[in-house]
């Protein structure tokens, strides 16, 4: 087979041409074999010798190797010997074919000869088996069953035949065996056989060593590490690190306080081993409001208000779950014991309370019942009660625990204090102690134990005479320290007894208001003072009463005009005639006008004045005494008769007056002496009578006054009430018996003295009339 065989295309149209050309060529073939890896220049064979060619003609005939892709591996020497141009690597040249054949073509020209040389490169075990990777990783689930097979990458050996990979070996282990799958020319493939199931929780990974061995002598080998990662299967439940959880927690712990932290572990990995925490399904909403759990850390914290008095122990189920596709969970109970703190102050409850307690209640009377309680326990719940402030009440314990009675400890007086604020303090024995106060109001009800009292005793009232009949004179006021009906006062004037008949018949009193009304008008000149009793009675049961003495003093009004005593009045006018000698000197007493006013005091004081006179230079009038005197001596030119009109006026606010007319006649001395003797005799007789009566009157008045003083002193000594009276008696005798009694504000006069003095005045009036 020549060169044209290899160059001819496969097409039939060119096959014939190629066959024709071969008929004219001399074609021979040589075959050599040599091992690979020979050094450069090594002899393959002597082609010239083997072809029977003379070495001398080789150069002339142009003996050469026809160039080709492989020509560079060999070269011909001049003597026709074939040499290796470079080191030959069979695996590089033949690429693991079963036999490595290199064909080269040599040519001789003139004549043309083509000689084919076949060179077989023999394999030498110069390569070790190698794996694509030094280490390979397999992921096998721990749920894989026994008998599972896992194909591995085979090892490659550039050598061929017996020098290629002949067997595999696996390092000793408990779970895997090695199987070989023979694919003929494609080599042998190692297969990993699962002999025993894996458990990731026992071993997360396994390391094996796979060895590939060729058939050389000695054999060469290559290794590859196999790392088997066991894939987790959620086949383990979370497990709590403690068998039980018990913790003590103070009540009233602030929100956010960590109670306890639970911890659970899961041997699985990834989501299968990631644990989350939650409350158990049986945990009610009430507990969920008090506590909460961190799903990541497992910390249980306070969420609401813990009260030992509400509950002192909690048992909470905690669930730990993994995050596997089908989560596995386990539960554990956490017991929380709440520790009592003294956080509750005592409470005071009034179970019974009297609305009012009479003021005459005896000591020891129950006012109220109270009960005390404390929600705390132990010493924190022990309570001590007491009453603060100084009140007439005390606490007494009852037979039942924590029950107390509030009772009176002294007598009560509503008039002193009608309402008490009783403050009870309850204090527990905790540390620090807590206390509470409660105030109850105790009302003291009234008992009719107080008589009505008048604002003053006796009453002194001053009433102006000539009052309007039926009009109110004055009012009395009594008060009662009691209240309600016990303090409702009615007034009356007792009318029993002869002493009151003359006075009380013309008086009336309003029983509700105490206003006194006079049924008639008073006349000072008739009645100057009187006395009566008023009784004030309350409406209590039984009723109480008290009386008061009322002294009434009548005040004089200027209701009486002056009465002329001399000259004598006749037919409503007073007129007199006086004769005097013409030769009298200045200052001669002509006459004296005498007058009387029934009013007393300032209103009864009289003043005299000349209202009309014929000659102002002749006569003068003393305004206080009423004496008429000459101012100068008479002259011949003076008229013989003079008319004097005298005005007598009292000192009232609205003064009243009267007039008297005196006719003065001037006579010669002889006539005057005769008239004077007659008049003197009459005057002597009259003067003697007047003097006698005046002495009797003054003596009687003085005796009566002394007796009145003695009686008043005796009355003062026999009475507890101080009666004081001031009397002002002013006597101005100016030829007329005139008494003036003035009652000033603040004067108090005894009734007995008034009657005696009135009798004296009456007697004096009688004497005056007699004198007149």
């Amino acid at each position: 087979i020549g060169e044209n065989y290899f160059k001819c295309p496969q097409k039939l149209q060119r096959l014939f041409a190629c066959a024709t050309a071969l008929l004219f060529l001399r074609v021979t073939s040589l075959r050599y074999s040599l091992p690979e890896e020979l050094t450069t220049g090594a002899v393959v064979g002597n082609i010239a010798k083997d072809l029977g060619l003379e070495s001398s003609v080789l150069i002339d005939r142009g003996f050469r190797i026809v160039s080709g892709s492989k020509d560079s591996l060999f070269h011909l020497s001049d003597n026709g010997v074939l040499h290796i141009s470079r080191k030959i690597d069979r695996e590089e040249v033949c690429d693991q074919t079963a036999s490595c054949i290199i064909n080269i073509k040599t040519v001789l020209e003139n004549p043309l000869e083509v000689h084919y040389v076949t060179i077989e490169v023999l394999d030498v075990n110069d390569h070790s088996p190698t794996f694509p990777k030094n280490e390979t990783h397999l992921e096998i689930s721990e749920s894989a069953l026994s008998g599972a097979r896992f194909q591995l990458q085979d090892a490659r050996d550039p050598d061929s035949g017996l020098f290629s990979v002949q067997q595999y070996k696996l390092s000793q282990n408990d779970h895997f065996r090695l199987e070989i799958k023979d694919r003929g020319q494609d080599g042998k493939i190692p297969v990993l056989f699962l002999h025993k199931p894996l458990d990731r929780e026992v071993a997360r990974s396994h390391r094996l060593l796979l060895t590939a061995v060729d058939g050389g002598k000695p054999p060469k080998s290559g290794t590859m590490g196999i790392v088997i990662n066991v894939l987790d299967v959620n086949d383990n439940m979370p497990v709590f690190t403690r068998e039980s959880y018990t913790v003590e927690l103070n009540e009233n712990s602030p929100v956010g306080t960590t109670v306890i932290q639970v911890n659970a572990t899961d041997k699985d990995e990834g989501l299968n081993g990631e644990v989350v925490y939650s409350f158990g399904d049986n945990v009610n909403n009430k507990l969920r409001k008090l506590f909460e759990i961190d799903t990541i850390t497992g910390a249980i914290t306070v969420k609401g208000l813990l009260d030992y008095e509400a509950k002192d122990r909690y048992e909470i189920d905690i669930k730990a779950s993994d995050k596997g596709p089908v989560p596995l969970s386990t539960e554990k109970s956490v017991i929380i014991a709440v520790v009592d703190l003294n956080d509750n102050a005592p409470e005071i409850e009034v179970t019974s309370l009297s609305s009012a307690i009479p003021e005459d209640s005896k000591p020891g009377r129950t006012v109220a019942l109270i009960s005390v309680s404390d929600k705390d326990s132990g010493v924190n719940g022990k309570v001590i009660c007491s009453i603060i402030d100084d009140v007439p009440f005390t606490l007494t314990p009852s037979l039942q625990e924590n029950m107390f009675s509030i009772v009176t400890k002294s007598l009560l007086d509503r008039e002193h204090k009608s309402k008490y604020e009783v403050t009870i303090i309850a204090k527990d024995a905790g540390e620090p102690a807590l206390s509470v106060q409660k105030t109850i109001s105790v009302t003291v009800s009234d008992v009719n134990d107080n008589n009505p009292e008048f604002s003053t005793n006796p009453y002194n009232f001053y009433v102006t005479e000539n009052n309007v009949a039926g009009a109110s004179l004055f009012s009395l006021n009594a008060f009662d320290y009691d209240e309600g009906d016990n303090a409702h006062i009615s007034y009356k004037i007792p009318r029993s007894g002869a002493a009151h008949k003359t006075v009380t018949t013309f008086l009336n009193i309003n029983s509700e208001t105490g206003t006194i009304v006079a049924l008639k008008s008073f006349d000072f000149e008739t009645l100057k003072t009187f006395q009566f009793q008023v009784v004030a009675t309350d409406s209590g049961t039984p009723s109480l009463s008290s009386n008061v003495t009322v002294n009434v003093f009548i005040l004089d009004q200027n209701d009486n005009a002056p009465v002329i005593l001399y000259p004598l009045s006749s037919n409503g006018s007073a007129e007199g005639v006086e004769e005097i000698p013409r030769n009298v000197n200045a200052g001669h007493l002509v006459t004296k006008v005498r007058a009387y006013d029934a009013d007393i005091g300032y209103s009864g004081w009289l003043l005299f004045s000349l209202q009309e006179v014929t000659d102002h230079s002749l006569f003068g009038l003393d305004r206080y005494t009423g004496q008429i005197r000459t101012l100068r001596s008479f002259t011949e030119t003076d008229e013989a008769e003079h008319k004097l009109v005298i005005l007598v006026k009292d000192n009232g606010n609205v003064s009243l007056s009267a007039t008297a007319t005196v006719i003065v006649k001037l006579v010669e001395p002889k006539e005057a002496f005769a008239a004077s003797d007659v008049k003197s005799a009459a005057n002597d007789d009259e003067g003697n009578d007047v003097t006698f009566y005046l002495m009797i009157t003054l003596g009687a008045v003085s005796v009566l006054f002394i007796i009145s003083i003695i009686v008043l002193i005796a009355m003062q000594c026999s009475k507890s009430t101080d009666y004081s009276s001031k009397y002002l008696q002013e006597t101005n005798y100016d030829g007329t018996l005139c008494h003036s009694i003035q009652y000033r504000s603040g004067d108090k006069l005894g009734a007995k003295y008034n009657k005696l003095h009135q009798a004296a005045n009456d007697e004096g009036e009688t004497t005056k009339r007699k004198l007149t």
Side-chain angles (χ1 to χ4, degrees), residues 95-99 154-161 164-166 168 181-189:
D95 193 19
Q96 291 187 335
T97 58
S99 59
D154 58 343
R156 295 300 176 92
D157 193 332
D159 297 327
S160 61
S164 63
V165 177
Q166 299 298 314
Y168 292 94
K181 183 184 294 185
D182 193 353
R183 291 187 176 179
Q185 292 183 356
D186 292 334
K188 295 178 175 64
I189 298 176

Side-chain angles (χ1 to χ4, degrees), residues 12 20 28 63 99 185 226 322 630 665 672 675 712 727 739 742:
L12 295 176
T20 304
T28 59
F63 185 57
S99 59
Q185 292 183 356
I226 302 174
D322 57 34
T630 59
K665 293 183 179 182
L712 285 175
Y727 300 93
H739 297 279
Q742 180 180 11

Side-chain angles (χ1 to χ4, degrees), residues 564 593 606-613 616 619-628 644-650 657-662:
I564 303 298
V593 178
L606 300 180
L607 295 177
F608 301 87
S609 63
L610 284 172
Q611 188 177 15
E612 184 180 343
V613 63
H616 289 284
F619 303 99
L621 176 66
D622 191 308
R623 64 177 303 178
Y624 298 108
T625 64
Q627 293 179 353
I628 301 174
L644 302 177
V645 179
I646 293 91
L647 176 66
V648 182
K649 183 172 64 172
D650 60 26
S657 62
T659 58
T661 302
V662 177

